Amino acid sequence: MKRISLLLAAIFLCGVAVQRDALAQPAPEPAPVAPEQSRQHMIRVRNVPPRIMAWWLDPRNNAEPMEIQISRKNEEMVEPRRVGKAPDAMPLPAGVQRIVPIDAQKALLVFGTDAGVKELQDLVNFLDQPLRQVEVEGQFVQISAEDVENLPLDFKTGKNPPGPAVAKSAIAVGQVRGNFSTLLTQLVAQNKAKIIMAPRVTTHNNFAASLGTSSSQPAVIGMKGEDGTFRPLFDAVTQPENARIGIGMSFRFTVTPSINADDTLTLLIAPMRTLQLTTSQKNNEPLLLQKLDGVLSIANVRDGDTIALTGLTTRLFAKVEDDPNAPASNVVLFVTARIVRRAGEEAQPVALQR
């Protein structure tokens, strides 16, 4: 019996020693985790243009959109104004390297990790809210000065910002009273008016829109002698890169609409004409680039109203070969702005203050 007790005690002590040895052993080190690999992801946007969203989120790799650049130049002209600014400056989530806008697909191409892109998706959803839009229609109408005086125009609505260029300008801004479409149709039918062009564009609130026309044609540099013979300055065989040049001309006007709190519209309008001479070499700088900036004009109108800019002439649309001494005809620019409304959104009647 004594031997059995000693044997049991020995077995117990051995078990305790084995447990102590097992507890004393260090825990195995965890295996190293491989870093998450970056890859391409596609994020869809519904409301904000991708180029603007990419500039908001990743300005280091995306240039400021052109419509915001144009609007920012005139930022002090129309109040209140918040030109294309995101709500707050937000850094890119960790793991996101770059954002590339794809406007045609209304999407963002994102280079980053799955975790970083998932966080970026939440940020895009937060910023991708509907932006109010404005449809701008412009009609350049050739009409005599006498018929312009008979138009129902109220020149109390528009104004030109103060400045040296405005003091020398004959451009006046007025609002068209009555039914503009019916009035213009009657003038055209009576051969008292001719529509030169009628561009139309839709832009976002406080974003500049550009409307106009452009043309390009080849030309040869040379001199005309006393006998009337034209002699090129460059040989077309030995100097083909200099023998022919391209003449590009464009006339356009920019409109920056601002939707006010009472749903009236403040329009900032600026016409511009460009002349550009280029050679046949693709990577060369233009031989001549001349921009003739027009006068800035401001008008406050109701949704759907039409304003008229008088004081323009057909010289704005003249071609290079046209005689500069030829008489110019009178041109009026009619601009109609309409707020683009979503389903269920109704317009409220507004009376402009005089």
Side-chain angles (χ1 to χ4, degrees), residues 138-141 194-199 211-213 251-253 317:
Q139 297 188 72
F140 290 88
V141 179
K194 176 184 177 182
I195 299 177
I196 301 175
M197 63 177 183
L211 302 93
T213 181
F251 174 77
R252 60 187 62 253
F253 67 97
F317 309 92

Side-chain angles (χ1 to χ4, degrees), residues 215-221 240-250 274-282 284-290 320-321:
S215 62
S216 179
Q217 62 186 47
V220 177
I221 302 178
E241 69 278 1
N242 297 323
R244 300 182 69 85
I245 64 172
I247 301 178
M249 299 189 65
S250 66
T274 303
L275 172 64
Q276 180 172 325
L277 302 181
T278 58
T279 64
S280 58
Q281 299 180 7
K282 297 181 179 180
N284 279 4
E285 292 293 328
L287 298 175
L288 173 66
L289 180 60
Q290 183 181 23
V320 177
E321 65 270 16

Side-chain angles (χ1 to χ4, degrees), residues 7-242:
L7 181 59
L8 293 175
I11 293 174
F12 175 76
L13 292 175
C14 290
V16 172
V18 170
Q19 292 179 1
R20 288 180 177 178
D21 292 341
L23 293 175
Q25 292 180 359
E29 296 182 359
V33 179
E36 189 177 359
Q37 297 295 325
S38 297
R39 61 188 185 90
Q40 296 182 6
H41 302 258
M42 192 75 75
I43 296 180
R44 301 289 179 180
V45 289
R46 298 180 56 188
N47 301 298
V48 178
R51 61 186 178 278
I52 296 177
M53 180 68 73
W55 176 66
W56 281 354
L57 298 172
D58 188 14
R60 184 172 61 90
N61 295 312
N62 292 277
E64 187 177 50
M66 182 59 65
E67 59 263 47
I68 296 181
Q69 293 181 24
I70 299 174
S71 302
R72 195 178 302 281
K73 292 179 182 179
N74 304 323
E75 185 171 354
E76 72 280 1
M77 304 303 298
V78 181
E79 296 294 344
R81 180 173 296 283
R82 286 185 350 186
V83 181
K85 297 178 181 177
D88 294 296
M90 300 180 182
L92 284 177
V96 177
Q97 286 83 40
R98 186 177 182 182
I99 300 176
V100 178
I102 306 178
D103 288 329
Q105 301 182 20
K106 299 194 68 175
L108 301 174
L109 180 62
V110 183
F111 297 88
T113 62
D114 293 344
V117 173
K118 183 179 180 181
E119 185 178 350
L120 180 67
Q121 177 72 72
D122 296 336
L123 188 56
V124 170
N125 294 340
F126 173 75
L127 294 176
D128 191 23
Q129 302 300 320
L131 299 178
R132 302 195 72 180
Q133 294 181 312
V134 178
E135 181 191 62
V136 180
E137 179 183 8
Q139 297 188 72
F140 290 88
V141 179
Q142 182 176 335
I143 185 174
S144 66
E146 292 77 11
D147 289 327
V148 171
E149 294 180 357
N150 296 326
L151 293 176
L153 299 180
D154 181 4
F155 289 97
K156 298 179 182 180
T157 302
K159 64 179 180 179
N160 297 116
V166 178
K168 302 177 182 179
S169 173
I171 292 181
V173 183
Q175 183 173 357
V176 181
R177 297 301 180 188
N179 192 321
F180 168 70
S181 299
T182 303
L183 175 63
L184 182 60
T185 301
Q186 293 175 353
L187 291 174
V188 173
Q190 298 170 4
N191 293 324
K192 293 184 177 181
K194 176 184 177 182
I195 299 177
I196 301 175
M197 63 177 183
R200 179 182 301 186
V201 69
T202 299
T203 184
H204 292 93
N205 183 32
N206 288 331
F207 284 19
S210 180
L211 302 93
T213 181
S214 61
S215 62
S216 179
Q217 62 186 47
V220 177
I221 302 178
M223 298 179 62
K224 182 181 290 187
E226 295 181 357
D227 57 353
T229 303
F230 178 80
R231 297 178 177 84
L233 293 180
F234 303 98
D235 185 81
V237 177
T238 60
Q239 298 172 304
E241 69 278 1
N242 297 323

